[in-house]
């Protein structure tokens, strides 16, 4: 099974055999995006078109297989940036016509969960993904909390961000602090020597009044504004901004909310399992706090290898392989890009 | 034998061989490219009663046209060609409409945001192939003819508005260009417009 992923700024092509990972090649337009300080949809879509065929060829070479060895194709149909998704769908449909292979349109967010099914040479002893599980999926494009009872038939969205994605917040705050794009690793680096308790930044949607409607939703735009105010106030006083302290305190506010809500979901639903996914998992402090809090709560924490956490084609292929195994027919040939595809629709 | 594909306006697919059109399939919608591109390729191949393995190349319209749709056809064409190990044959999309027109012609297609893409053609050359006099370029939709006339050096032209670039004509043109050893279109899409984004300035102040 070959999977194509183009929902945001990474062009990913992965090849799997059942649950064995054979290839996972990713081309990123991050360098081009860096000029703009964030993901510009048109820049991403142009980069996908340029990167797709080289990435596809590289994946086939890495797996040591030819198109004739494939049994089926999968492509992300949503959620994501519509123009970016359409490049992958166009390529996948062309490939399907040329090869006669069946094509499955796959949900990107469920793909992040499916990534954990994949076995690589180095983590064969990581054990099996057990269901049901809570899944926290955090990237520059999404911040979602899922309850996964069955990968193909029962995925429920518990909550998601109502404004910025967590990754976007990292990028925007990095800019405020004069740090380059992408913000995640920069904030991480700056925060290393800072005091996470130096400044108490707000935790979005954690007030008692938010408990009913937004218990599992996230909001990072107020936090971003609070950091901006703090920085401006310090500069107005003629003080030098203590970048490490601001970075550490900001990061702490983000990962505190993310992990607190994820573990709250584990507790409320009586599910002692939490899976992390998405590019922000690269953040060291997020992994650390998730580990501590999961251990305290008796929750088993699973984090797929980082190359499978960021957006990639292998996770899309993994879901495609599950769909084939379950005997599902290919997607309607007229499926399109759905930028808001709900998690309840695993297949387009 | 060529598969031809264009998504610079509507979506059109065709199969041509030796100057003959074997099949053509199309949908006029300007926002359904990703949905229909696969089935239209399938319809064209089935209509021509050929298998993908019989193809020698894939002609594809490189625009200009609304970018999101334009990319769908190019991505699909590259994937088909890559999978079959045959060349992609890029063509300037409006050239397909100018093919076979004896008089100077202004081809106009939608470019969104109240702009149109236009290309002005002279009378065909000795081989009967389109000769671009000016364009392709973008202009405000209500000022296209003025923009073209400014570069027309007084020649009179007929205006041709199109909501679809017929892939059969595109394929026939690619065949002729190949046979005559003429240059094909550009390898990358004719965007004619930079991404709508600018490098960020200093962060805006949020406190009073
Ligand atoms: Zn993602």
């Amino acid at each position: 099974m070959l999977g194509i992923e183009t929902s945001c700024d990474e062009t990913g092509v992965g090849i799997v055999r059942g649950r064995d990972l054979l290839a996972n090649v990713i081309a990123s337009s991050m360098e081009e995006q860096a000029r703009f300080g964030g993901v510009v949809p048109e820049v991403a879509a142009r980069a996908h078109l340029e990167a797709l065929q080289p990435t596809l060829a590289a994946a086939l070479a890495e797996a040591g297989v030819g198109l004739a060895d494939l049994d089926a194709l999968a492509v992300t149909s949503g959620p994501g940036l519509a123009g970016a998704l359409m490049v992958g769908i166009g390529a996948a449909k062309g490939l399907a016509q040329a090869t006669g292979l069946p094509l499955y349109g796959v949900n990107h967010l469920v793909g992040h969960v499916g990534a954990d099914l994949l076995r690589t040479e180095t983590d064969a002893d990581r054990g099996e993904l057990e269901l049901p599980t809570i899944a926290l999926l955090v990237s520059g494009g999404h911040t979602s909390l899922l309850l996964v009872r069955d990968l193909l038939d029962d995925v429920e969205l518990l909550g998601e961000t109502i404004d910025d994605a967590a990754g976007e917040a990292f990028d925007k705050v990095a800019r405020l602090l004069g740090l380059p794009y992408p913000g995640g690793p920069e904030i991480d680096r700056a925060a290393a020597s800072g005091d996470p308790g130096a400044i108490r930044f707000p935790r979005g949607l954690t007030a008692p009044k938010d408990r009913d409607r937004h218990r599992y939703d996230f909001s990072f735009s107020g936090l971003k504004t609070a950091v901006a105010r703090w920085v401006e106030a310090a500069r107005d006083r003629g003080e030098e901004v203590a970048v490490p302290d601001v970075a550490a305190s900001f990061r702490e506010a983000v990962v505190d909310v993310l992990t607190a809500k994820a573990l709250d979901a584990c507790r409320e639903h009586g599910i002692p399992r939490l899976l992390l996914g998405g590019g922000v998992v690269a953040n060291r402090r997020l992994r650390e706090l998730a580990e501590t809090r999961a251990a305290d709560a008796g929750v088993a924490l699973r984090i797929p290898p980082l190359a499978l956490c960021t957006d990639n084609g292998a996770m899309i292929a993994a879901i495609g392989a599950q769909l084939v195994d379950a005997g599902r027919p290919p997607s309607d040939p007229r499926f399109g890009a759905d930028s808001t595809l709900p998690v309840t629709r695993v297949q387009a | 034998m060529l598969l031809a594909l264009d998504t610079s306006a509507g979506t059109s697919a065709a199969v041509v061989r030796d100057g003959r059109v074997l099949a053509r399939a199309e949908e006029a919608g300007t926002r359904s490219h990703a949905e229909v591109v696969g089935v239209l390729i399938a319809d064209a191949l089935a209509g021509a009663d050929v298998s993908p393995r019989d193809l020698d190349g894939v002609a594809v319209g490189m625009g200009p046209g609304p970018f999101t749709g334009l990319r769908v056809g190019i991505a699909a064409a590259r994937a088909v060609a890559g999978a079959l190990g045959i060349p992609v044959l890029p063509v300037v999309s409006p050239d397909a409409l100018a093919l076979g027109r004896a008089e100077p012609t202004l081809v106009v297609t939608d470019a969104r945001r109240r702009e149109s893409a236009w290309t002005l053609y002279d009378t065909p050359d000795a081989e009967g192939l389109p000769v671009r006099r000016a364009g392709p370029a973008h202009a405000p939709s209500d000022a296209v003819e003025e923009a073209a006339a400014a570069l027309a050096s007084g020649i009179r032209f007929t205006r041709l508005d199109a909501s679809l670039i017929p892939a059969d004509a595109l394929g026939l043109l690619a065949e002729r260009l190949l046979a005559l050893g003429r240059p094909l279109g550009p390898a990358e899409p004719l965007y004619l417009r930079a991404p709508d984004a600018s490098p960020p300035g200093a962060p805006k102040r949020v406190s009073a």
Side-chain angles (χ1 to χ4, degrees), chain A residues 156-284:
Chain A
E156 184 188 337
L157 180 73
L158 298 178
E160 62 189 337
T161 182
I162 60 167
D163 40 56
D164 294 344
E168 263 179 294
F170 273 95
D171 293 336
K172 289 176 177 172
V173 167
R175 238 187 89 209
L176 283 172
L177 296 174
L179 301 171
Y181 177 88
E186 294 293 334
I187 296 271
D188 237 10
R189 205 166 302 140
S193 59
D195 172 8
I199 311 150
R200 175 76 192 178
F201 286 127
R203 271 64 170 159
L205 300 181
T206 56
K209 68 177 169 58
D210 297 317
R211 216 180 139 75
D212 290 335
R213 275 191 55 216
H214 292 299
R215 181 165 179 179
Y216 298 122
D217 288 330
F218 302 95
S219 166
F220 297 106
S221 109
L223 169 59
K224 178 195 65 192
T225 307
V227 175
R229 279 186 209 284
W230 196 93
V231 169
E232 285 165 12
R235 285 184 184 140
D236 288 351
R237 290 193 301 269
E239 292 167 16
E240 186 152 337
V241 176
V243 171
D245 284 349
V246 177
S249 301
F250 159 74
R251 183 182 67 173
E252 199 63 16
V254 174
V255 301
D256 179 20
V257 175
L258 290 172
T259 54
K261 293 206 176 205
L263 285 155
D264 182 27
C266 291
R267 260 187 305 275
E268 193 212 346
H269 292 91
I271 296 171
R273 283 174 290 274
L274 173 62
L275 172 75
L276 301 188
V280 175
V281 172
N283 190 285
R284 195 184 50 75

Side-chain angles (χ1 to χ4, degrees), chain B residues 1 15 27 40 57 70-71 76 90 93 95 98 133 144 151 153-154 160 163-165 173 186 192 198 201 203:
Chain B
M1 178 154 41
V15 176
E27 291 213 14
L40 292 181
L70 175 62
R71 276 188 289 262
S93 295
D95 286 8
R133 184 179 190 94
V144 170
L151 295 164
S153 319
L160 175 62
S163 56
L164 187 104
I165 303 290
L173 175 58
L192 305 187
S198 48

Side-chain angles (χ1 to χ4, degrees), chain A residues 5 7 108-109 112 139 142 278-279 309-311 315:
Chain A
E5 150 66 35
S7 71
H108 174 84
L109 289 174
H112 274 300
S139 78
H142 48 75
C309 279
T310 52
D311 291 348
M315 70 188 200

